[in-house]
Amino acid sequence: MATTDRLREIYDRMLAHWGPQHWWPAETPLEVMVGAILTQNTAWKNVERAIANLKGAGVLSLTALAELPTALLAEYIRPAGYYNIKAGRLHNLLHFITDHHGDDLQSFLAQPLPQLREQLLSVKGVGRETADSILLYAAGLPIFVVDAYTHRILVRHQVIDEDFGYEAIQELFMDNLECDAQLYNEYHALLVRVGNVYCKKKNPACAACPLQGM
């Protein structure tokens, strides 16, 4: 089966099994960006607790977060783990935005995709997956987000070799699927769901997986 057809079948099976995932679970683009930093190396439920702390303190705005002392920000996001590191990364990103765009987050996110991606990746602590999550989910731009679940699922179903890196996997999706932010959004969210529920690193539940037999 051609790669395009295989990727389409994977998507169709997951969507038929679960339906739309309504990702990213956030109320604003800023909340997406904060979540993209906080979700590094932790479970999403911990991110939700950290964001709830920020909302409860009334500081979930670009200006308020940027002006918080880093140590206080770290306390608010403590549930997300690695809170001192993540507070520093959040401030790196927020200060980059306020330095170049003031409090106008929309003008930052309205930049062309290549330019915005380059700027995000220039921020210390923002890697490819985090940058692409911001591009796709906060800015609504068509770029495919690759994570460990994506790599694991494609390797196990023999779509890619083990040594495929981030860019090669991203190109695979973007070369074989239409350039559609909503499709990339849904596809990534469904892969995360499969990875969480069935395609676990240890003891995968293959028999019940919607991708079984592919």
Side-chain angles (χ1 to χ4, degrees):
M1 186 185 295
T3 300
T4 299
D5 294 334
R6 293 209 70 198
L7 292 178
R8 262 291 167 191
E9 184 177 350
I10 289 170
Y11 177 74
D12 290 343
R13 284 197 187 196
M14 293 189 300
L15 189 63
H17 187 77
W18 272 305
Q21 297 299 290
H22 307 293
W23 262 39
W24 186 288
E27 296 175 359
T28 65
L30 176 64
E31 191 176 327
V32 172
M33 298 172 75
V34 172
I37 297 286
L38 297 186
T39 198
Q40 297 169 359
N41 302 305
T42 195
W44 183 254
K45 66 179 184 295
N46 298 326
V47 176
E48 290 179 324
R49 291 168 57 205
I51 289 176
N53 286 348
L54 296 173
K55 287 181 177 179
V59 295
L60 194 55
S61 73
L62 180 60
T63 304
L65 286 174
E67 291 178 351
L68 272 182
T70 305
L72 181 55
L73 175 58
E75 281 304 309
Y76 286 134
I77 66 171
R78 181 182 283 266
Y82 302 98
Y83 47 91
N84 289 317
I85 294 172
K86 290 180 181 179
R89 290 175 177 173
L90 258 179
H91 266 167
N92 291 342
L93 175 58
L94 297 168
H95 292 159
F96 179 90
I97 296 168
T98 56
D99 287 349
H100 293 85
H101 296 268
D103 62 357
D104 191 353
L105 180 59
Q106 281 311 114
S107 75
F108 175 69
L109 293 175
Q111 297 178 92
L113 192 157
Q115 181 178 330
L116 182 54
R117 190 174 197 261
E118 183 179 354
Q119 290 182 10
L120 287 167
L121 290 173
S122 75
V123 176
K124 185 178 179 181
V126 176
R128 292 169 298 186
E129 183 183 340
T130 300
D132 291 342
S133 294
I134 292 170
L135 290 165
L136 178 61
Y137 293 111
L141 294 169
I143 192 163
F144 202 92
V145 179
V146 178
D147 58 18
Y149 294 129
T150 310
H151 182 270
R152 185 188 309 154
I153 291 165
L154 294 188
V155 168
R156 286 178 174 172
H157 288 278
Q158 300 179 326
V159 178
I160 63 171
D161 294 328
E162 182 74 41
D163 61 358
F164 264 52
Y166 191 99
E167 284 84 5
I169 297 172
Q170 187 174 67
E171 287 175 11
L172 182 81
F173 281 97
M174 296 180 70
D175 288 348
N176 286 282
L177 300 173
E178 55 266 36
C179 184
D180 182 346
Q182 184 54 45
L183 172 61
Y184 296 165
N185 176 320
E186 199 65 69
Y187 208 135
H188 174 240
L190 287 163
L191 286 170
V192 171
R193 191 77 181 272
V194 167
N196 265 319
V197 177
Y198 298 115
C199 202
K200 299 177 181 180
K201 192 171 185 178
K202 296 180 180 178
N203 303 316
C206 298
C209 179
L211 304 181
Q212 171 64 11
M214 282 199 65

